[in-house]
């Protein structure tokens, strides 16, 4: 028996919105430690890793490890039926082929439940090694989303260059070139507005704008985003989900084409 | 009401010949069902000393290999005889009647009116829908020879029709009737076929599928070039002399009307392009319409002298036009253009040293009578390449600053390719 209850449906809504553009389907691996989802996008360029800790839920029960393959589009549709303040409960029997998602209004006057068919997904799970990243940039999630959106107008690719001075995002295309530099903030009143760079050695990497923009769909989940970079290693874009876990996006860098 | 009920209630009058086909039609049964029910009923009746006379339809291949034979035989003895005569023979119960002569004979052959599959081109003959049980007159007896066998040819054809093969009580012989029928069909069938064709042609456009729109475009393009050449030729020639030509036109036609049509045609043929243009222009108001107008005029005016003159003037006009429009004169400008094209192509050929054996033009007349010259792909590509080479004016000159910038950018941004995420992580 699996049962997980969240106080606010809006968090689950945001999570689904953050991943459904990249992934059509995904397997939620439920264990007593919580819920995890790992999946690559269709083109195998990026990887999404979602972790929701069990202690972040209002109620969490998982008698047996359970993998629930879901169509994320369908799940997002169901979650749209919930009000933001509704309690949401996910329930599934062991070896069940459906999951029940129940919404309860705050005053318990309205209870709605939806049953969704589960899928058997044959998805690869990748082992993500622990990496010491050369540069770790923490910056406002909104700012990152804005930068990605703006630079996407110039080129398909964004070059992220992290140096002592700060982090530079640049793109060049037919229209022209665009450079956005963010310097590390000395002292800020609000923590969420801070740009913090932890750099061991400078890194310059090129990434596809399209995916970065897809990652920024998670912006509502967190005020800050963390970019972890290392030469010839996928970029990690991490959004923390307060008290619950995190969502990490891994994006393979664009590498120089030696053939041409 | 089912057949069984009808039989039980004595609603079927066996004093008249009862055709199985009638029963099939009336009760919408399969042959097997109708046959079984009927047989059961007959057996029951025969036990009560009622005798029935049966007729059977026999189908088989003639022993001498002359082809198929359909025949109706009376009685089971004859049936056996016929089954023995024919190869691959089969028989079905065809009709039943009280033995000792029925009061009124049923038609010798009456095909099914009800058809499971309706054929598209079939038209119901007038009166066929209101078919009543028809009694045969004595006149029809000679048609079937001994009254039992029917001619295979006529039988073969008829079952496929929905129209009844009722023979009208004319004294005509069977063959004549058949001939008339076939003529009738011939008369009828072409329009229906045309209708069908028309429908088939109109169907895709009616549907309005997106394919129809897109597929139509290239066809239109393909059809355009000849028109373009026409209009181009017309406009070229028309540039200076169009007004003059129209001024001249009435005098020329009046003089032509006096001359014999052949002479006028000759003149037209030898005329310059301007005459062609006139016809091109006038072609738009189609000659058919002109003819109709002429006919109307003739009718209205009657047989007056003026009308005769008109006719004399108009008749050769239209015929002349037709001849000219059908003649090669119309195609001359095209030919010229194709010639010039081919000349150019030849020049291009020389310039780029394309193998002559490979790069031969294919010239042919299309369905509309236009001369089409198709260049081989290689040659066409080479030609376009050569054109690009030889026509510096077509090149777009980009501003040098922009070009240099682009060059710089190209230098600055090295070409990259997207790597795969799975190449960075190991599979669990």
């Amino acid at each position: 028996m699996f049962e997980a209850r969240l106080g606010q449906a809006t968090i689950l809504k945001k999570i689904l919105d953050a991943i459904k553009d990249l992934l059509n389907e995904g397997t939620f691996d439920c264990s007593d430690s919580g819920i995890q989802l790992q999946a690559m996008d269709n083109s195998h360029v990026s990887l999404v890793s979602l972790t929701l800790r069990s202690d972040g839920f209002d109620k969490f029960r998982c008698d047996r490890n359970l993998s629930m393959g879901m169509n994320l589009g369908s799940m997002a549709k169901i979650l749209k039926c919930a009000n933001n303040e509704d309690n949401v409960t996910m329930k599934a029997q062991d070896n069940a082929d459906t999951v029940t998602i129940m919404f309860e209004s705050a005053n318990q006057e309205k209870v709605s439940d939806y049953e969704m068919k589960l899928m058997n997904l044959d998805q690869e799970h990748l082992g993500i090694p622990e990496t010491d990243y050369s540069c770790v940039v923490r910056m406002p999630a909104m700012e990152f989303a804005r930068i990605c959106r703006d630079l996407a107008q110039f080129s398909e690719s964004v070059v992220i260059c992290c140096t002592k001075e700060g982090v530079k995002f640049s793109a060049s295309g037919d229209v022209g070139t665009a450079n956005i530099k963010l310097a590390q903030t000395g002292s800020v009143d609000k923590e969420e507005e801070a740009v913090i760079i932890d750099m061991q050695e400078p890194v310059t990497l090129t990434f596809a704008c399209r995916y970065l923009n897809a990652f920024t769909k998670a912006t509502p989940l967190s005020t800050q985003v963390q970019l972890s970079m290392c030469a010839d290693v996928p970029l990690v874009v991490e959004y923390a989900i307060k008290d619950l876990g995190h969502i990490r996006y891994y994006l393979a860098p664009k590498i120089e084409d030696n053939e041409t | 009401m089912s057949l069984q009920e009808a039989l039980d209630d004595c609603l079927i009058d066996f004093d008249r010949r009862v055709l199985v086909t009638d029963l099939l039609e009336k009760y919408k049964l399969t042959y097997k069902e109708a046959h079984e029910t009927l047989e059961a009923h007959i057996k029951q009746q025969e036990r009560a000393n009622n005798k029935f006379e049966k007729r059977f339809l026999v189908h088989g291949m003639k022993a001498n290999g002359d082809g198929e034979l359909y025949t109706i035989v009376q009685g089971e003895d004859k049936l056996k005889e016929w089954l023995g005569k024919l190869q691959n023979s089969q028989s079905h119960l065809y009709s039943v009647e009280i033995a000792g002569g029925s009061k009124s004979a049923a038609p010798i052959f009456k095909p099914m009116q009800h058809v499971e599959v309706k054929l598209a081109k079939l038209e119901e003959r007038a009166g066929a829908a209101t078919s009543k049980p028809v009694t045969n007159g004595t006149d029809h007896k000679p048609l079937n020879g001994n009254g039992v066998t029917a001619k295979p040819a006529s039988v073969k054809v008829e079952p496929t029709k929905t129209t009844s093969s009722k023979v009208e009580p004319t004294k005509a012989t069977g063959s004549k009737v058949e001939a008339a029928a076939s003529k009738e069909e011939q008369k009828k069938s072409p329009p229906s076929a045309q209708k069908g064709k028309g429908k088939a042609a109109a169907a895709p456009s009616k549907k309005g599928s997106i394919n129809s729109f897109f597929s139509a475009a290239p066809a239109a393009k393909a059809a355009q070039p000849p028109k373009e050449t026409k209009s181009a030729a017309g406009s070229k020639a028309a540039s200076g002399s169009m007004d003059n030509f129209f001024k001249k036109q009435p005098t020329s036609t009046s003089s032509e009307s006096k001359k014999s049509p052949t002479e006028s045609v000759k003149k037209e043929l030898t005329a310059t392009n301007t005459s062609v243009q006139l016809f091109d222009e006038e072609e738009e108001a189609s000659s058919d319409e002109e003819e109709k107008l002429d006919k109307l005029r003739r009718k209205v005016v009657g047989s007056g002298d003026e009308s005769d003159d008109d006719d004399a003037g108009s008749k050769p006009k239209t015929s002349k036009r037709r001849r000219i429009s059908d003649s090669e004169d119309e195609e001359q400008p095209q030919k010229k253009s194709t010639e010039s094209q081919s000349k150019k192509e030849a020049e291009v050929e020389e310039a780029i040293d394309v193998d002559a054996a490979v790069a031969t033009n294919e010239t042919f007349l299309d369905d509309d009578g236009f001369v089409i010259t198709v260049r081989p792909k290689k040659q066409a590509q080479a030609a376009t390449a050569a054109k690009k080479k030889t026509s510096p004016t077509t090149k777009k000159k980009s501003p040098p600053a922009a070009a240099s910038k682009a060059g710089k950018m190209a230098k600055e941004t090295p070409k990259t390719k997207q790597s795969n995420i799975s190449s960075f992580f190991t599979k669990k």
Side-chain angles (χ1 to χ4, degrees), chain B residues 26-44:
Chain B
K26 194 172 179 185
Y27 298 102
K28 305 280 184 283
L29 292 169
T30 60
Y31 178 82
K32 199 183 170 189
E33 286 170 328
H35 179 251
E36 278 172 7
T37 318
L38 195 60
E39 278 289 346
H41 178 77
I42 289 167
K43 274 183 185 173
Q44 198 185 337

Side-chain angles (χ1 to χ4, degrees), chain A:
Chain A
M1 170 79 179
F2 164 75
E3 188 176 344
R5 183 186 162 104
L6 263 177
Q8 284 187 315
T10 181
I11 296 171
L12 206 54
K13 274 186 181 186
K14 286 173 185 172
I15 289 169
L16 259 294
D17 284 342
I19 58 175
K20 74 176 167 64
D21 284 1
L22 276 171
L23 313 172
N24 296 326
E25 290 137 3
T27 305
F28 289 85
D29 296 311
C30 307
S31 65
D32 54 0
S33 61
I35 301 172
Q36 285 196 317
L37 177 144
Q38 192 205 77
M40 283 185 282
D41 72 300
N42 285 337
S43 52
H44 288 210
V45 171
S46 66
L47 181 132
V48 182
S49 172
L50 171 75
T51 301
L52 304 174
R53 290 190 307 272
S54 57
D55 55 22
F57 288 89
D58 293 354
K59 185 184 175 186
F60 192 89
R61 179 188 164 189
C62 185
D63 302 339
R64 278 186 189 180
N65 287 358
L66 183 70
S67 290
M68 299 191 295
M70 292 186 199
N71 182 309
L72 300 178
S74 306
M75 194 182 179
K77 278 181 191 171
I78 289 174
L79 287 170
K80 275 188 181 171
C81 302
N83 288 319
N84 286 344
E85 280 72 39
D86 283 357
N87 288 319
V88 58
T89 308
M90 287 170 70
K91 274 186 201 173
Q93 297 295 325
D94 295 337
N95 300 320
D97 56 356
T98 57
V99 61
T100 304
I101 301 167
M102 193 166 75
F103 306 124
E104 292 166 287
S105 63
N107 53 13
Q108 302 285 322
E109 281 176 353
K110 182 186 172 188
V111 178
S112 42
D113 62 275
Y114 300 85
E115 200 174 75
M116 190 176 72
K117 285 176 186 168
L118 294 176
M119 305 164 84
N120 277 323
L121 300 174
D122 188 23
Q123 284 185 332
E124 292 173 354
H125 274 256
L126 299 177
I128 301 165
E130 285 206 7
T131 311
D132 283 332
Y133 288 96
S134 310
C135 289
V136 176
V137 179
R138 286 190 63 79
M139 61 184 287
M142 285 286 282
E143 190 61 57
F144 179 63
R146 176 79 193 256
I147 289 167
C148 292
R149 193 193 67 193
D150 292 348
L151 295 187
Q153 298 178 82
F154 288 83
S155 174
E156 290 177 351
S157 307
V158 173
V159 179
I160 304 178
C161 178
C162 193
T163 57
K164 267 189 213 169
E165 288 78 35
V167 59
K168 187 176 85 173
F169 300 86
S170 37
S172 63
D174 296 338
V175 179
T177 56
N179 293 297
I180 299 167
K181 282 179 197 165
L182 291 179
Q184 188 163 213
T185 47
S187 61
V188 283
D189 298 335
K190 291 177 185 174
E191 200 182 317
E192 60 264 25
E193 288 174 5
V195 176
I196 301 158
I197 299 169
D198 178 9
M199 192 207 81
Q200 273 132 40
E201 54 184 71
V203 177
T204 303
L205 288 169
T206 308
F207 300 102
C209 261
R210 180 177 154 238
Y211 292 96
L212 293 175
N213 274 311
F215 300 165
T216 60
K217 297 279 190 261
T219 303
L221 283 168
S222 180
T223 53
Q224 287 259 311
V225 61
Q226 182 176 296
L227 312 177
S228 306
M229 287 177 289
C230 191
D232 301 325
V233 162
L235 161 79
V236 185
V237 181
E238 181 180 330
Y239 293 88
I241 305 167
K242 201 183 173 187
D243 301 331
L244 192 61
H246 59 256
I247 181 164
R248 282 183 189 148
Y249 299 98
Y250 295 84
L251 178 60
K254 284 191 165 185
I255 53 172
E256 273 189 41
D257 197 356
N258 295 325
E259 289 170 11
T260 54

Side-chain angles (χ1 to χ4, degrees), chain B residues 118-266:
Chain B
K118 278 214 166 185
L119 299 173
K121 288 178 185 175
L122 275 177
E123 283 181 10
E124 252 192 19
R125 208 179 281 175
T130 57
S131 62
K132 290 171 188 174
V134 188
T135 55
N136 265 2
T138 47
D139 294 346
H140 296 287
K141 280 187 179 173
L143 270 176
N144 11 292
N146 57 4
V148 178
T149 55
K151 281 184 182 177
S154 59
V155 179
K156 223 192 275 180
V157 179
E158 281 167 343
T160 58
K161 296 177 197 168
T162 47
T163 52
S164 71
S165 67
K166 270 189 282 176
V167 183
E168 287 162 358
T170 52
K171 308 258 174 172
T173 59
S175 61
K176 270 187 183 176
V177 172
E178 275 182 13
S182 65
K183 269 186 185 178
E184 221 176 295
E185 276 172 19
Q186 277 178 351
K187 276 180 191 173
K188 277 184 182 176
S189 62
S192 65
Q194 280 176 355
K195 269 185 191 175
K197 277 183 187 176
K199 274 180 190 174
S205 61
K206 263 191 183 177
K207 271 191 178 178
S209 71
I210 199 78
N211 285 350
S212 64
F213 291 104
F214 291 129
S215 60
K221 273 185 186 174
Q224 267 178 354
K227 278 185 185 174
E228 279 174 7
T229 51
K230 242 193 235 175
S231 60
S235 61
K236 270 184 194 173
S239 56
S241 58
M242 211 56 177
D243 290 354
N244 296 336
F245 183 81
F246 279 121
K247 280 173 195 169
K248 282 175 194 171
Q249 183 57 26
T251 55
S252 65
T253 47
S254 61
S255 63
E256 275 168 17
S257 62
K258 284 170 192 171
K259 288 171 188 174
S260 68
T262 50
E263 276 180 8
S264 63
V265 170
K266 277 181 186 173

